[in-house]
Amino acid sequence: AREGFAVLRFDVRGMGDSAGSPRDFEAIGPDIDAAIAALMQHVPALRRVALWGLCDGASAVLLHADAARDPRVCGLALLNPWVRSPETLARVHLRHYYWRRLVQPAFWAKLLRGGVGQAAWRDLLANLRARRAAPPVAQLPFQHRMARGWAAFEGELLLVLSGNDFTAREFIDATRSEPAWAPALQHARLQRQDLPEADHTFTAPTWRQRVDQITLAWLKALPAAPAGASAEVS
């Protein structure tokens, strides 16, 4: 707001200060529509908005883009989007946790001493079964609609990913392995920023400041319009 943008951060129904029955992130498109309408009602000069979402907020933004194709929305800022399924969770555990442990000498030394219990082996086998048995992400409804909304979006896109976050790793793995995401990653107006040390919610002040800087730079670079705005989905 200090930089001249009209900003609305809101609680979807059933969360925080908002009344009503809670809804899953797949069903809050009407809440996003209501927030856009409220912002424009309070700032009549606005003609366009940018939506900013973290985790399943980012997923909700993409689902809204797929369903609404709202011409008022000129930009989507997406932080660590949520694409979780049993298959993606199993895959990221295998790739980023178990295989890394298997190449560590300390792991084998602990195993030989009996320090690796049966529960750990059962967990590994369960992840292997889930990786093999679960359907691919492209067949899961909300992930497919997210990818479709991303690919068809005609505005500007900002993707911010944390390096120390399983949700971000699941997203990266899904976009690399699933054909449904190929058109999305080739979006002509996509800007990506990686914060290698950051966790899922950017808890350190330096990480939050960096996200602020990235978001502001992106907003200021949006194509000229009568006014700028961001409606935040959290």
Side-chain angles (χ1 to χ4, degrees), residues 32-140:
I32 298 175
D33 284 331
I36 295 172
L39 180 59
M40 289 189 153
Q41 180 180 358
H42 283 81
V43 189
L46 292 182
R47 296 294 179 267
R48 308 182 311 158
V49 300
L51 302 178
W52 190 106
L54 168 67
C55 191
D56 61 0
S59 305
V61 161
L62 288 170
L63 293 173
H64 177 267
D66 179 57
R69 307 293 171 97
D70 190 335
R72 299 171 299 178
V73 179
C74 66
L76 305 177
L78 312 165
L79 291 80
N80 299 327
W82 175 269
V83 294
R84 178 157 298 174
S85 69
E87 193 267 349
T88 60
L89 183 59
R91 184 167 59 203
V92 79
H93 278 167
L94 289 171
R95 180 173 298 174
H96 298 289
Y97 177 70
Y98 290 108
W99 297 147
R100 184 179 59 192
R101 290 201 69 193
L102 289 174
V103 298
Q104 293 175 343
F107 170 81
W108 293 103
K110 186 176 181 181
L111 175 65
L112 293 172
R113 294 195 305 268
V116 176
Q118 293 183 356
W121 288 111
R122 286 197 299 268
D123 191 37
L124 172 58
L125 292 173
N127 276 279
L128 286 169
R129 286 193 294 269
R131 171 67 181 90
R132 192 168 55 244
V137 170
Q139 295 179 3
L140 299 175

Side-chain angles (χ1 to χ4, degrees), residues 81 83 88 91 95 137 146-147 150 159 161 168-185 192:
V83 294
T88 60
R91 184 167 59 203
R95 180 173 298 174
V137 170
M146 283 173 60
W150 179 319
L159 175 64
L161 296 173
R169 290 175 179 176
E170 284 181 77
F171 177 79
I172 293 169
D173 286 350
T175 56
R176 286 174 176 171
S177 61
E178 301 301 334
W181 283 101
L185 295 180
R192 173 174 167 174

